[in-house]
Amino acid sequence: MQALLDLLGRGFDGGTLEFITPDGSVCTLGHGTPHAQVQLRDAHVLREILMRPALKFGETFMDHGWEAADGDLLRVLEVGVKFEEELEHRMKGRRFRSLLAQLLELNNPLASRHNVEHHYNLDADLYRRFLDEGMFYSCAYFAQPEMTLEEAQQAKCELIARKLDLRPGMRVLDIGCGWGGLAIHLAQRHGVTVTGVTLSSEQLAVAEKRVEALGLDRQIELRLQDYREVDGRFDAVVSVGMFEHVGRPQYPTFFGRVHELLESDGTALLHTIGRMTPPGAGNPWIRKYIFPGGYIPAASEVFAAIEPTGLLVTDCETWRLHYALTLREWNRRFQAQRTYFTERLGERFCRLWEFYLVACEASFRWGNLCVFHLQMTRKLDRLPLTRDYLYDKGQGSLDAASAFPYNARPTVVM
């Protein structure tokens, strides 16, 4: 087994991972720091992992096949993420693998709805227990490092509002509106009307109740609808944390629809997880257990899909460690509720989610993942000449999100 580890780890100096078998023998992968140890339940688990590392490392953890020897799963996955990137780098140029991955991303409306329901139609109470009070299931924006998760999510919404350059009375389309947090924020704080679309019936039901409870029925309309089926024109189009589910074959359609739905003097904003490396095939464990049909795009893939549509990219911002901070807080809250989750859904579910949250934090902290913010218009002169308008303290500071309670009285547009 050590010979196979030496072969796989040849040239990998991003860290050392020791596999300890039940009889105390040790097999080592890689060189250098950090140094982490995995305690195997059975010797055959290592053989299973080495057959398909990117898939089986997570699966065997879910099945109690191994534990972090010192309880530090994040350190184990730091080495794991770096090693996975090394394997992906070796696979570059293997076009068949990329084409096969794209076949799994052929998301017609029916497939898209099925894929979304796989992850988002869990009982909303489960998400309430580890998300912030606004139920934002996307990267927060830590404008100040001491922010709470609630404050950072509100800061994210405020920055999005500024990038859309909103004015009271504008019509906004929110593609992938989730539990309605962004729609509520924009309606309350900026006096706009919002049409939100989602493919999750569970999210829609929760969002509609929240909108009704806040008295925002006249400003927010929510629909169970695919973005390809939306009609009308909007002053702003925004999509947060949904593009990862679109799939590469649908990119031209997605941006074509944004162009069609956006008024000639409108502004659009895409918030998506992205990779800071060339295009790849994605992680098979994430695709199987978390986001079937999903894909994390490289910037080159996104720009290539936008360019033929007539949309103009007026700003591109890369958020580097914000999602690592978000995921760390989600996992802290998840672990605080672990007894509840275990009683409701079992230990295997908890181990799946623990691995998901920690592996994703490691990917944003030490891997190639980031968040892209792409601002788009149809007119070159639609927005101010500089980016100063995004951070002007005189218009309400992004680091003062806590000054706006989430259940603040809404601004109603008649």
Side-chain angles (χ1 to χ4, degrees):
M1 198 62 65
Q2 184 61 57
L4 181 54
L5 282 166
D6 290 341
L7 179 63
L8 286 173
R10 182 178 298 168
F12 174 64
D13 58 3
T16 304
L17 196 57
E18 292 184 345
F19 296 91
I20 306 171
T21 64
D23 65 6
S25 59
V26 178
C27 297
T28 303
L29 171 71
H31 306 278
T33 56
H35 184 277
Q37 292 183 321
V38 167
Q39 180 66 58
L40 300 172
R41 185 185 65 182
D42 296 304
H44 78 269
V45 172
L46 179 56
R47 186 178 302 107
E48 190 175 351
I49 291 172
L50 295 180
M51 294 299 293
R52 297 186 65 186
L55 175 65
K56 292 298 182 179
F57 201 45
E59 282 191 339
T60 53
F61 179 81
M62 291 161 52
D63 295 331
H64 290 266
W66 61 270
E67 303 284 350
D70 60 358
D72 192 348
L73 181 60
L74 183 60
R75 181 176 298 177
V76 170
L77 290 174
E78 176 183 355
V79 181
V81 162
K82 292 177 179 179
F83 181 64
E84 182 182 2
E85 291 192 356
E86 170 68 20
L87 292 180
E88 185 168 324
H89 178 72
R90 296 178 191 177
M91 295 291 287
K92 293 298 182 187
R94 300 192 182 186
R95 184 168 176 76
F96 174 77
R97 184 168 178 259
S98 178
L99 291 174
L100 179 62
Q102 291 195 47
L103 288 176
L104 299 174
E105 301 163 28
L106 287 170
N107 297 323
N108 59 36
L110 181 61
S112 294
R113 182 166 297 184
H114 172 78
N115 292 338
V116 166
E117 289 175 348
H118 174 87
H119 190 74
Y120 295 100
N121 272 18
L122 295 171
D123 184 347
D125 183 53
L126 302 175
Y127 288 97
R128 283 193 189 95
R129 288 176 177 266
F130 72 88
L131 299 179
D132 68 297
E133 64 187 43
M135 292 187 73
F136 290 96
Y137 191 38
S138 58
C139 178
Y141 182 70
F142 290 84
Q144 299 294 328
E146 68 276 8
M147 277 182 164
T148 65
L149 180 61
E150 278 72 16
E151 291 169 340
Q153 291 290 10
Q154 292 297 299
K156 183 258 298 289
C157 292
E158 194 57 33
L159 182 57
I160 288 172
R162 293 194 180 193
K163 289 188 176 185
L164 293 173
D165 197 31
L166 296 180
R167 299 289 182 272
M170 282 186 169
R171 297 156 297 158
V172 179
L173 173 64
D174 183 359
I175 301 176
C177 61
W179 287 284
L182 179 62
I184 290 169
H185 179 101
L186 298 182
Q188 283 185 327
R189 314 286 160 77
H190 297 275
V192 299
T193 61
V194 184
T195 299
V197 297
T198 177
L199 293 179
S200 169
S201 56
E202 178 73 16
Q203 287 187 326
L204 179 67
V206 172
E208 287 180 329
K209 289 180 181 178
R210 297 175 70 200
V211 167
E212 182 179 3
L214 291 168
L216 294 169
D217 311 63
R218 297 177 65 183
Q219 283 180 267
I220 300 175
E221 178 189 3
L222 302 174
R223 307 172 184 168
L224 190 68
Q225 189 175 39
D226 191 279
Y227 69 92
R228 287 162 284 201
E229 300 167 353
V230 177
D231 293 320
R233 299 291 287 272
F234 299 86
D235 302 299
V237 177
V238 62
S239 182
V240 177
M242 173 271 184
F243 190 71
E244 300 89 333
H245 302 281
V246 169
R248 284 171 286 184
Q250 289 73 232
Y251 285 0
T253 299
F254 178 86
F255 289 110
R257 292 296 292 138
V258 172
H259 182 270
E260 293 167 3
L261 294 165
L262 191 63
E263 289 282 9
S264 61
D265 60 348
T267 307
L269 189 284
L270 177 70
H271 168 126
T272 180
I273 299 173
R275 62 176 71 216
M276 294 186 283
T277 55
N283 180 276
W285 186 87
I286 291 289
R287 180 181 288 117
K288 181 176 180 179
Y289 290 99
I290 307 298
F291 299 124
Y295 174 74
I296 304 302
S300 57
E301 295 174 293
V302 180
F303 276 84
I306 294 173
E307 287 165 359
T309 66
L311 290 170
L312 307 174
V313 178
T314 48
D315 191 73
C316 177
E317 183 178 5
T318 300
W319 294 7
R320 292 165 289 112
L321 292 170
H322 292 271
Y323 221 152
L325 296 172
T326 305
L327 286 153
R328 181 178 65 183
E329 181 60 16
W330 286 348
N331 188 49
R332 186 191 68 77
R333 297 179 182 207
F334 179 84
Q335 296 300 338
Q337 297 284 330
R338 190 171 183 124
T339 300
Y340 170 84
F341 286 116
T342 302
E343 291 173 353
R344 287 283 307 275
L345 294 165
E347 180 62 15
R348 190 172 191 268
F349 172 88
C350 288
R351 292 177 72 87
L352 183 156
W353 271 78
E354 179 182 11
F355 190 89
Y356 159 52
L357 294 172
V358 178
C360 287
E361 179 185 349
S363 295
F364 281 96
R365 201 173 284 282
W366 298 289
N368 63 17
L369 295 187
C370 65
V371 169
F372 294 135
H373 253 216
L374 271 69
Q375 182 193 57
M376 296 160 281
T377 65
R378 295 179 61 170
K379 288 185 176 180
L380 198 59
D381 60 352
R382 165 63 182 87
L383 296 164
L385 219 63
T386 72
R387 301 179 88 250
D388 294 350
Y389 69 102
L390 298 178
Y391 307 106
D392 181 4
K393 300 285 184 178
Q395 296 182 21
S397 172
L398 293 175
D399 61 10
S402 58
F404 300 99
Y406 191 76
N407 60 352
R409 178 184 297 176
T411 302
V412 179
V413 177
M414 303 303 290

